[in-house]
Amino acid sequence: MSTYANPSPFFCGNRASSSSPATARRMSHWAVRPVRCVSTTEEKSARVATVKNGSDSLVICRILNGMWQTSGGWGRIDRDNAVEAMLSYADAGLNTFDMADHYGPAEDLYGIFINRVRRERPPEFLEEIRGLTKWVPPPVKMTSDYVRDNINISRKRMDVASLDMLQFHWWDYSNPGYLDALKNLADLKEEGKIKTLALTNFDTERLHIILESGIPVVSNQVQHSVIDMRPQRKMAELCRLTGVQLITYGTVMGGLLSEKFLDVNLSIPFAGPSLNTPSLQKYKRMVDAWGNWGLFQILLQTLKTVASKHGVSIPSVAVRYIFNQASVAGSMVGVRLGLSEHIKDTSAVFSLDLDEEDMNSITEVSMKGRDLLKVIGDCGDEYRRA
């Protein structure tokens, strides 16, 4: 899951301003000027996917354990219990963890966890563990030393010689320093300090610019759910042409897409579960942008019908639906380490096979809401509104 302490509102007004004529001309040539990326060939039903660009590749579990929940607001995290929980997820085959430099103690917890794995699990188990992190710098000058120093901090906290994946975020597109940062990150990759380089919350236009600049990114982490289908509107086509994969977050909307909120009337105080976490509050705003609570209840009822048909839960159906979308390598499911666990529900996604009737019924309700590409803008634009 990817979120930032942006002082801007969640979204404001209509979609972002249109691309410049020069950018539009560049983007019109995707089909005849593909960049140097290769698509994954894994079956959609597989537990793993390979994100790849040229000689850079990384095998990840298609369900990633999102560690935003360690940053505060979901309950107190006990270090020892959290690490035990990480081991339980890894033992169940859910061996890919997603974190960030600003997710509280997430990187430190991973460092403790990976050392437990080194001591207590066989070498072949260790080889399958993946730690993906993000770097979200302020808009300062992206010198080589500055970039190196910050990446070294994450390497030290996670206690690894090389980061499995570094996902880069940039706040302000009017500042072209993101290209300097990415070029310096690419140099660190060549030095072996980063195995794969990726993005988080970049839009289609900037992703294309980055790829044309020769930056070997393998994926872009973006918000994508049954109600937020923006990645399929623009970015998926560029991904299809270039092989860049999508890693999605917000796919179960912080728990809103679950039985817990089915048949709940939020207008009646204390009548149902409260929106008492940052993720629930964030994705309730997304529900409001897409439609209203009544329409969301129709969506939950539809998901429940499909879930009952297959003997699984609503979150499992929500994740599988996004798995089935174009260019999606994997989806984030947040973990409240040591506080609660959902290993069984999460693992059920891998064997779930939604048929055409299932997919169509969900899509029909999803499309009854507003077009979020017009309401908010392209992927990540919600973080860049003044």
Side-chain angles (χ1 to χ4, degrees), residues 46-193:
R47 295 177 65 94
V48 300
T50 302
V51 290
K52 186 173 183 179
N53 184 322
S55 60
D56 300 337
S57 67
L58 188 71
V59 177
I60 61 171
C61 180
R62 292 201 71 194
I63 295 180
L64 298 89
N65 304 311
M67 295 179 65
W68 179 30
Q69 285 78 0
T70 65
S71 62
W74 286 266
R76 181 181 176 274
I77 297 291
D78 176 85
R79 185 191 70 178
D80 293 339
N81 290 341
V83 172
E84 286 293 338
M86 294 175 75
L87 287 166
S88 295
Y89 277 94
D91 286 338
L94 301 169
N95 52 24
T96 300
F97 296 85
D98 180 89
M99 64 211 87
D101 59 342
H102 62 292
Y103 286 4
E107 291 184 334
D108 301 299
L109 289 171
Y110 184 86
I112 299 169
F113 158 76
I114 201 65
N115 275 298
R116 286 280 303 273
V117 172
R118 288 166 181 153
R119 294 194 306 269
E120 302 172 14
R121 300 294 189 275
E124 58 269 22
F125 187 94
L126 174 64
E127 288 299 312
E128 294 182 351
I129 302 297
R130 298 290 181 264
L132 285 54
T133 194
K134 307 180 194 76
W135 182 39
V136 185
V140 299
K141 188 173 179 61
M142 293 289 116
T143 66
S144 176
D145 286 344
Y146 181 81
V147 174
R148 181 184 300 274
D149 289 346
N150 279 273
I151 297 310
N152 283 340
I153 291 172
S154 288
R155 291 171 59 230
K156 182 177 180 179
R157 293 179 70 191
M158 295 173 67
D159 200 7
V160 293
S162 181
L163 301 175
D164 289 328
M165 178 184 288
L166 190 284
Q167 301 165 102
F168 176 72
H169 173 86
W170 189 252
W171 289 111
D172 183 7
Y173 292 144
S174 68
N175 179 347
Y178 66 90
L179 290 173
D180 295 327
L182 284 165
K183 289 172 182 175
N184 286 320
L185 289 169
D187 289 341
L188 292 176
K189 182 186 69 66
E190 292 302 313
E191 293 177 18
K193 293 180 171 58

Side-chain angles (χ1 to χ4, degrees), residues 4 20 27 33 38 42 69 80 95 107 111 136 160 166 219 232 270 301 303 322 330 369:
Y4 311 99
S20 67
M27 296 174 73
R33 298 174 62 197
V38 182
E42 301 335 14
Q69 285 78 0
D80 293 339
N95 52 24
E107 291 184 334
V136 185
V160 293
L166 190 284
S219 62
Q232 298 302 315
F270 311 111
Q301 291 161 8
L303 292 170
I322 296 303

Side-chain angles (χ1 to χ4, degrees), residues 176-328:
Y178 66 90
L179 290 173
D180 295 327
L182 284 165
K183 289 172 182 175
N184 286 320
L185 289 169
D187 289 341
L188 292 176
K189 182 186 69 66
E190 292 302 313
E191 293 177 18
K193 293 180 171 58
I194 300 169
K195 293 178 183 175
T196 55
L197 185 55
L199 306 173
T200 181
N201 285 315
F202 272 80
D203 65 8
T204 309
E205 179 182 347
R206 255 55 62 159
L207 173 58
H208 187 246
I209 291 171
I210 289 165
L211 292 170
E212 280 202 322
S213 299
I215 308 296
V217 300
V218 298
S219 62
N220 187 20
Q221 186 178 136
V222 295
Q223 184 171 289
H224 197 354
S225 69
V226 174
I227 72 169
D228 187 0
M229 297 297 290
R230 287 178 295 162
Q232 298 302 315
R233 294 290 309 280
K234 289 180 65 176
M235 188 165 292
E237 176 63 10
L238 178 58
C239 290
R240 183 185 69 81
L241 293 166
T242 63
V244 170
Q245 296 284 286
L246 300 175
I247 295 175
T248 76
Y249 66 90
T251 306
V252 296
M253 301 184 67
L256 282 178
L257 288 173
S258 69
E259 283 80 0
K260 183 177 181 179
F261 287 91
L262 179 62
D263 298 326
V264 168
N265 187 346
L266 289 183
S267 66
I268 303 176
F270 311 111
S274 60
L275 304 177
N276 59 356
T277 68
S279 52
L280 286 172
Q281 294 160 13
K282 171 182 178 178
Y283 293 114
K284 173 55 168 61
R285 293 194 293 271
M286 187 61 64
V287 169
D288 296 338
W290 169 75
N292 54 55
W293 192 250
L295 182 58
F296 186 69
Q297 285 299 310
I298 295 173
L299 177 60
L300 286 179
Q301 291 161 8
T302 302
L303 292 170
K304 181 60 178 178
T305 297
V306 175
S308 298
K309 170 182 170 180
H310 294 278
V312 298
S313 66
I314 287 176
S316 297
V317 174
V319 173
R320 187 75 236 186
Y321 181 83
I322 296 303
F323 268 17
N324 290 356
Q325 304 302 316
S327 298
V328 173

